[in-house]
């Protein structure tokens, strides 16, 4: 929606209760921007909190123990026409040399957060 600052949200505490202190939850939202689509405001963190309340992800009365903003300049994978054959070459080389790849960047994949976490678990299980 044009009036909501974030495009995606998820709840890391649902993957493991060890991701948060006892009795707490966690939510992460992603706000995309570029030189073509600049951020709609200067106070992104507070706007994101307001919009999480607006959309029902959190309640106004929820106590926020920690709120943090991180800007990641290059967060999405960009594909070109040579991607598939070159990716196969790279992954084969790494596999032949015992390198396990996982996560969004390790697999060179546009994956959802849960897919990235699962690929990390699978890599950890593969090494024992």
């Amino acid at each position: 929606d044009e009036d909501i600052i974030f495009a995606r949200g998820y709840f890391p505490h649902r993957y493991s209760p060890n991701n948060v202190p006892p009795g707490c939850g966690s939510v992460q939202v992603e706000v995309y921007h570029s030189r073509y689509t600049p951020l709609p405001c200067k106070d992104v963190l507070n706007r994101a909190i307001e919009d999480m309340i607006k959309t029902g992800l959190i309640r106004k009365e929820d106590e926020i123990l920690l709120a943090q903003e991180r800007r990641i300049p290059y967060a999405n994978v960009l594909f070109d026409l040579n991607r598939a054959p070159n990716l196969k070459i790279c992954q084969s080389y790494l596999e032949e040399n015992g390198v396990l790849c996982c996560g969004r960047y390790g697999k060179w994949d546009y994956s959802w957060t849960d897919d990235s976490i699962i690929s990390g678990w699978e890599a950890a299980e593969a090494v024992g």
Side-chain angles (χ1 to χ4, degrees):
D1 293 346
E2 297 282 328
D3 62 328
I4 304 297
I5 195 169
F6 57 87
R8 179 172 25 183
Y10 85 103
F11 302 88
H13 71 274
R14 292 194 176 170
Y15 295 111
S16 170
N18 297 319
N19 286 338
V20 293
C24 293
S26 59
V27 61
Q28 174 181 318
V29 296
E30 296 177 10
V31 178
Y32 300 125
H33 63 95
S34 72
R35 64 180 172 210
Y36 307 108
T37 310
L39 290 169
C41 63
K42 289 188 186 274
D43 192 355
V44 173
L45 183 59
N46 281 318
R47 170 71 187 276
I49 292 169
E50 289 171 10
D51 286 354
M52 283 189 281
I53 293 167
K54 185 178 186 180
T55 59
L57 287 180
I58 61 175
R59 297 177 306 234
K60 189 172 186 162
E61 63 271 11
D62 286 340
E63 180 182 6
I64 298 174
L65 301 177
L66 173 68
Q68 188 175 49
E69 175 184 336
R70 281 196 189 157
R71 300 225 178 157
I72 302 172
Y74 306 103
N76 288 319
V77 177
L78 301 176
F79 303 133
D80 67 15
L81 296 176
N82 298 312
R83 179 186 185 278
N86 289 331
L87 179 57
K88 190 174 268 190
I89 292 167
C90 293
Q91 288 177 326
S92 294
Y93 174 81
L94 293 170
E95 187 176 323
E96 289 168 12
N97 288 281
V99 177
L100 295 176
C101 299
C102 65
R104 182 180 224 182
Y105 296 105
K107 290 191 139 194
W108 296 312
D109 187 27
Y110 184 81
S111 57
W112 295 95
T113 303
D114 56 335
D115 293 325
S116 294
I117 291 170
I118 290 167
S119 78
W121 288 340
E122 290 170 346
E125 287 174 0
V127 296

